[in-house]
Amino acid sequence: MHGAAAGSTGCRAQIIYNRMTAKKETIAQRIARLLAERIVSGTLEPGARLRQDHIAEEFAASHVPVREAFRLLEAQGLAVSEPRRGVRVAAFDLAQVREVAEMRAALEVLALRHAAPHLTPAILDEAEAATLAGDKARDARTWEAANSRFHKLILTPCGMPRLLAAIDDLHAASARFLFSAWHSEWETRTDRDHRTILAHLRRGEVDAAAEALGRHVRWIGRRPVETASGRRREAFVIQG
Amino acid sequence: MHGAAAGSTGCRAQIIYNRMTAKKETIAQRIARLLAERIVSGTLEPGARLRQDHIAEEFAASHVPVREAFRLLEAQGLAVSEPRRGVRVAAFDLAQVREVAEMRAALEVLALRHAAPHLTPAILDEAEAATLAGDKARDARTWEAANSRFHKLILTPCGMPRLLAAIDDLHAASARFLFSAWHSEWETRTDRDHRTILAHLRRGEVDAAAEALGRHVRWIGRRPVETASGRRREAFVIQG
DNA sequence: CTTTTCAAAATTATAGATAATTTCTATAAT
DNA sequence: ATTATAGAAATTATCTATAATTTTGAAAAG
């Protein structure tokens, strides 16, 4: 849903009301967007300090727009700020991943129910193509972009901007987890889930489609993985 | 849910992570909080321009914290900003009220399902007291505060901070509408709805309670009212 | 009388500078 | 060895000043 690493959005409210106007982005928005990409993709690790002077220097700006960018990132839940003690990349544990998954499920189901009457065969074909692209993806970035496209395609026709913006933010939070846990060997169940949802939609079975989407988004799996140092640990998987 | 007029929160992310710490609020947070009160209560009308220099002067601050306050208000959906063209109080039409109501219903139901196992008789008694206070309220402020308290009491035990913060923001948006449409003669159905929800919760009927809450929040009524100038028009009512 | 154009005023956006707070580090004490 | 403390360095938060953009309003042209 969310552009995530391949072009993360920016401020939530901006998204709600300026998504289409979007004349020129301010320096603050640009900085927020680029930092969001790094946070979502894991380049900036959870807990990492974001120092306004350093960032201002890197982007050849003063720290005023940097501070505004921090507020935008806070609103997305990607950064946390303690007064007088600076801003850090938000941490996220399994409990938060669960919380985000539940919220996404609730809101995406709502969006799908309102979008369903406006879905055309053409849109569903595009969504199928996105699923196929996800199948063939061999890296997290590509997979996440395709997954994003699928969800966006079937939900956008709901025409509820605030709802879509909220879903976007939640998707960015999910994507962070995806990037941190991605393993190219994983055979996800995502393709099958996506196709089930599409099949129901094609047959006009909105309730069944909504239920499948809810289960799909809520699903969090776990499987053992081998770390770089050869140790075994448990990792968690999401279907996107 | 949201403090609304009686002490609106501030930044969403701040709420998520700093709600309990909340050592000292920064000037930006203070400005955002006070402006949010005015927007929610209707003192600042939809579409009104928020001029940073004027606001800075009023609060005896420079415009740097004012600009940050604007970003916080944007994140809550209470203000909209167009780059280089200033910030305005967000407008809201019936479609948006509907959208917010649907989102609230989806998220509050989710919160209630997770809160239900942790609800104690003491909490439910408090919630009943809040309902009673709402019944006796004769002005919008008091009524909204009591309604807020009811929802907060039964939802907070879910222990999902991001979810609760999102609900808070939506509640502020609802409250704006409530304040704009309040009429002291309205006999709302709220007390009955609240008591139905409580009755179900006392009997451990979580599904029924969740369904009642969803209907309650989603409900938007309309009734003719007489304006100050004596003209008749249609007004919309929410149950809170 | 309406529309267009251009300059002045108002306002936003950014930069540079200052003050206040926190964090770090070395040193001393228990 | 661990804890406590004081000073220094780094960082945040704010203010003042400057640049850039948009809006306003009046005058001129059609």
Side-chain angles (χ1 to χ4, degrees):
Chain A
M1 169 88 350
H2 199 277
S8 185
T9 42
C11 164
R12 192 164 124 259
Q14 283 297 335
I15 296 168
I16 299 178
Y17 299 99
N18 286 0
R19 185 174 273 158
M20 30 232 47
T21 46
K23 309 168 184 230
K24 265 183 295 189
E25 69 178 355
T26 74
I27 295 181
Q29 288 168 341
R30 186 175 137 261
I31 294 173
R33 180 170 50 81
L34 295 170
L35 288 179
E37 284 178 21
R38 293 186 199 170
I39 294 172
V40 170
S41 69
T43 310
L44 281 169
E45 290 187 11
R49 291 189 67 170
L50 299 175
R51 276 173 270 234
Q52 58 182 21
D53 280 357
H54 295 197
I55 293 169
E57 194 184 11
E58 178 187 344
F59 291 102
S62 86
H63 54 235
V64 178
V66 172
R67 289 180 62 79
E68 290 186 39
F70 286 167
R71 299 292 92 81
L72 301 183
L73 292 171
E74 272 193 277
Q76 281 193 291
L78 294 178
V80 292
S81 136
E82 290 180 90
R84 291 258 164 218
R85 299 195 51 185
V87 177
R88 293 174 172 278
V89 176
F92 63 103
D93 53 21
L94 182 59
Q96 287 182 53
V97 175
R98 283 217 177 90
E99 184 177 359
V100 168
E102 298 263 20
M103 289 177 71
R104 273 188 64 198
L107 294 183
E108 293 205 21
V109 164
L110 173 60
L112 183 61
R113 287 186 179 282
H114 285 263
H118 307 108
L119 290 175
T120 63
I123 294 173
L124 296 177
D125 287 346
E126 266 195 86
E128 180 130 25
T131 301
L132 197 68
D135 281 356
K136 289 193 287 207
R138 279 291 160 270
D139 63 291
R141 252 190 160 71
T142 312
W143 188 87
E144 151 63 10
N147 181 60
S148 230
R149 211 156 52 242
F150 173 85
H151 286 260
K152 217 188 265 290
L153 276 165
I154 62 170
L155 300 183
T156 302
C158 75
M160 298 163 84
R162 185 170 189 145
L163 174 58
L164 290 171
I167 291 172
D168 258 16
D169 284 350
L170 292 170
H171 205 94
S174 287
R176 283 188 74 190
F177 183 68
L178 172 77
F179 277 85
S180 80
W182 172 266
H183 222 247
S184 60
E185 290 93 44
W186 286 349
E187 74 287 345
T188 66
R189 231 180 37 191
T190 294
D191 52 341
R192 218 180 56 199
D193 283 359
H194 282 192
R195 292 207 168 84
T196 303
I197 295 164
L198 286 177
H200 284 306
L201 287 176
R202 284 192 206 280
R203 279 182 255 134
E205 300 160 1
V206 179
D207 284 341
E211 212 215 285
L213 176 65
R215 258 207 317 275
H216 167 65
V217 171
R218 225 185 320 262
W219 191 87
I220 297 177
R222 57 200 71 191
R223 58 149 52 207
V225 292
E226 216 152 310
T227 62
S229 53
R231 291 181 3 86
R232 286 202 159 273
R233 69 177 179 88
E234 179 144 78
F236 298 94
V237 201
I238 58 176
Q239 291 297 324
Chain B
M1 170 82 358
H2 198 277
S8 185
T9 41
C11 164
R12 193 164 123 257
Q14 282 297 337
I15 296 168
I16 300 178
Y17 299 98
N18 285 358
R19 186 172 270 158
M20 32 232 46
T21 45
K23 309 164 185 232
K24 262 184 297 188
E25 71 179 352
T26 158
I27 293 181
Q29 287 168 341
R30 186 174 137 262
I31 294 173
R33 180 170 51 79
L34 295 170
L35 289 179
E37 284 179 21
R38 293 184 198 172
I39 294 172
V40 170
S41 69
T43 309
L44 282 168
E45 290 187 11
R49 292 188 66 170
L50 299 174
R51 277 174 269 236
Q52 58 183 19
D53 280 355
H54 295 195
I55 293 169
E57 194 185 11
E58 178 186 345
F59 291 102
S62 84
H63 58 235
V64 179
V66 173
R67 290 181 62 76
E68 291 186 40
F70 286 167
R71 299 290 94 82
L72 302 182
L73 292 172
E74 271 193 278
Q76 280 192 292
L78 294 179
V80 293
S81 132
E82 290 180 271
R84 293 258 164 218
R85 299 195 52 186
V87 178
R88 293 175 170 277
V89 176
F92 64 103
D93 53 20
L94 182 59
Q96 287 183 52
V97 175
R98 283 217 178 91
E99 184 176 359
V100 168
E102 298 265 19
M103 290 177 71
R104 273 187 64 197
L107 294 183
E108 291 203 22
V109 164
L110 173 61
L112 182 61
R113 287 187 179 283
H114 284 263
H118 307 108
L119 289 175
T120 63
I123 294 173
L124 296 177
D125 287 346
E126 265 195 87
E128 180 131 24
T131 300
L132 197 69
D135 280 356
K136 288 193 286 204
R138 278 289 160 271
D139 63 291
R141 252 189 159 72
T142 312
W143 189 87
E144 152 62 12
N147 182 60
S148 231
R149 208 156 55 241
F150 173 84
H151 286 261
K152 219 189 261 291
L153 276 165
I154 62 170
L155 299 182
T156 302
C158 75
M160 297 163 86
R162 183 169 190 147
L163 175 58
L164 290 171
I167 292 172
D168 259 14
D169 285 350
L170 292 171
H171 205 94
S174 287
R176 281 188 75 192
F177 184 68
L178 171 77
F179 276 85
S180 81
W182 171 268
H183 221 246
S184 60
E185 291 91 44
W186 286 348
E187 74 285 347
T188 66
R189 233 181 36 195
T190 295
D191 53 340
R192 219 181 56 199
D193 283 0
H194 282 191
R195 293 208 167 84
T196 304
I197 295 165
L198 287 177
H200 283 306
L201 288 175
R202 284 193 205 281
R203 280 182 254 132
E205 300 159 1
V206 179
D207 284 341
E211 212 214 285
L213 176 65
R215 257 206 318 273
H216 167 65
V217 171
R218 224 186 320 263
W219 191 87
I220 296 177
R222 58 200 71 193
R223 60 150 51 208
V225 292
E226 217 152 310
T227 61
S229 55
R231 288 181 5 86
R232 287 201 159 275
R233 68 177 179 89
E234 179 143 79
F236 299 93
V237 201
I238 57 175
Q239 291 297 326

